[in-house]
Amino acid sequence: VSRIQVTPSSEAWVAAAVADLETLLVDHAHCEKRAASTAVRFLFKYSDWTSLVLPVSRLAREELVHFEQVVRELKGRGWRLRSLASASYAAELLKVVRPAREKASGLPHSEATVDEMLVSALIEARSHERFVRLIDAVRGIDAPLADFYASLAEAEARHGELYLELAEEAAGGSVEARLVELTAYEAEVIARPGLPLRMHAGPA
Ligand SMILES: [Fe+2]
Ligand SMILES: [Fe+2]
């Protein structure tokens, strides 16, 4: 996502991901499901936000298609979807969402909404960054998987841009200053040590 610059994933994370593609794909499947669930939640929470409804509904459908695709990629390699504890990456990011009561008069939405959209944009941007890294990292050992990551990278970049545009609409203007703060916080969360390998966690 060109307007959102997350920090580069570490070589250690890329190496751990390549060394355990089964865990990576299983967690990835759950991530796609969560992305769809978050989008559907927004459809209920913001049911009267006209410019959100159709693009976010489409996004939710795309995430479920991604989910189905990842499950097929698992199957094709003789693996299966299993439950796997999340590393709470998104939950950690949402901890810094500002309270809704700080809504300034005249603004279309509260600061909480701006932050929610920015956190979603950052998650999509991080997914994009990791898929791009994985394309080259897995090319030599699993070329079809590299092609799959390339197709997903395009979609996640688009999703990041959509959530950023919604954040700007919610703020009624630029969100640059808050995006800088949240990007720095995301960099800290993604680099937390001692977590098991996940799409959004693992070796820093
Ligand atoms: Fe996705
Ligand atoms: Fe996405």
Side-chain angles (χ1 to χ4, degrees), residues 4-5 13 32 42 45 64 93 114 121 155 165 181 191-192:
I4 310 173
Q5 293 296 334
W13 180 83
E32 299 290 1
F42 287 153
K45 186 171 180 181
L64 278 183
L93 293 183
V114 174
E165 285 169 7
E181 288 175 358
R192 280 185 189 164

Side-chain angles (χ1 to χ4, degrees), residues 32 35 59 63 66 124 155-156 159:
E32 299 290 1
L59 183 149
E63 304 295 19
H66 293 169
E124 298 285 352
E156 309 310 353
H159 295 167

Side-chain angles (χ1 to χ4, degrees), residues 32 41 64 70 73 81 97 117 139 171 178 181 188:
E32 299 290 1
R41 187 168 55 79
L64 278 183
V70 178
E73 296 293 330
L81 189 59
V97 168
M117 296 300 138
R139 176 73 62 194
R178 186 59 178 156
E181 288 175 358
E188 186 246 296

